[in-house]
Amino acid sequence: MDMEVYFPGGKKVYADFGGFTVETDQPIPAGEGTAPNPFELFLASIGTCAGIFALGFMQQRGIDPSEARIKLRTHPDPADPAHIAKIDLELQTPPDFPEKYLPAIIKSMDLCKVKKHLADPPEFDVTAV
């Protein structure tokens, strides 16, 4: 995948890829607070990635996902509060969700590609021209 990242003004940073534009900004007072900051998008990518696997699991079994939710909670590292030590992903299942499927849907959510890349991160090559 190729992505073009650019700077439209202020503290805003945008990324164009695949016909989409992802907008970021910094919170007030550093930025204008018009969009999530990049780290918030990173966290959202974890939650939505787990979510697509939970959604697919429910759809394949004819379970209505409309009342399901995933609560993502972060826990700071006590030694470095700017660093996240733990991320909880709690699936709140719909009322009619069969209990027998709980272990299987958790296993399905663990297939999230974003989460897997955190466990085995890619090499980064940062350059300037």
Side-chain angles (χ1 to χ4, degrees), residues 44-90:
S45 73
I46 295 168
T48 56
C49 184
I52 196 66
F53 282 92
L55 175 64
F57 184 96
M58 287 183 274
Q59 287 176 334
Q60 288 174 352
R61 287 156 184 81
I63 299 167
D64 179 7
S66 63
E67 294 186 53
R69 300 286 182 271
I70 294 176
K71 296 288 185 178
L72 184 147
R73 291 181 189 89
T74 61
H75 302 276
D77 183 340
D80 180 7
H83 183 79
I84 292 177
K86 181 181 175 191
I87 297 172
D88 291 333
L89 293 167
E90 177 185 85

Side-chain angles (χ1 to χ4, degrees), residues 2 21 36 38-39 52 58 65 67 75 82 88 94 96 110 116 125 127 129:
D2 289 336
T21 298
F39 194 72
I52 196 66
M58 287 183 274
E67 294 186 53
H75 302 276
D88 291 333
D96 63 341
D110 268 338
K116 285 185 169 206
D125 185 15
T127 61
V129 293

Side-chain angles (χ1 to χ4, degrees), residues 4-64:
E4 183 173 322
V5 177
Y6 57 100
F7 317 102
K11 296 289 185 178
K12 296 176 180 150
V13 179
Y14 291 6
D16 288 349
F17 59 95
F20 297 102
T21 298
V22 173
E23 301 178 5
T24 71
D25 197 356
Q26 292 296 303
I28 296 172
E32 297 172 33
T34 62
N37 70 47
F39 194 72
E40 291 167 336
L41 289 177
F42 165 72
L43 293 173
S45 73
I46 295 168
T48 56
C49 184
I52 196 66
F53 282 92
L55 175 64
F57 184 96
M58 287 183 274
Q59 287 176 334
Q60 288 174 352
R61 287 156 184 81
I63 299 167
D64 179 7

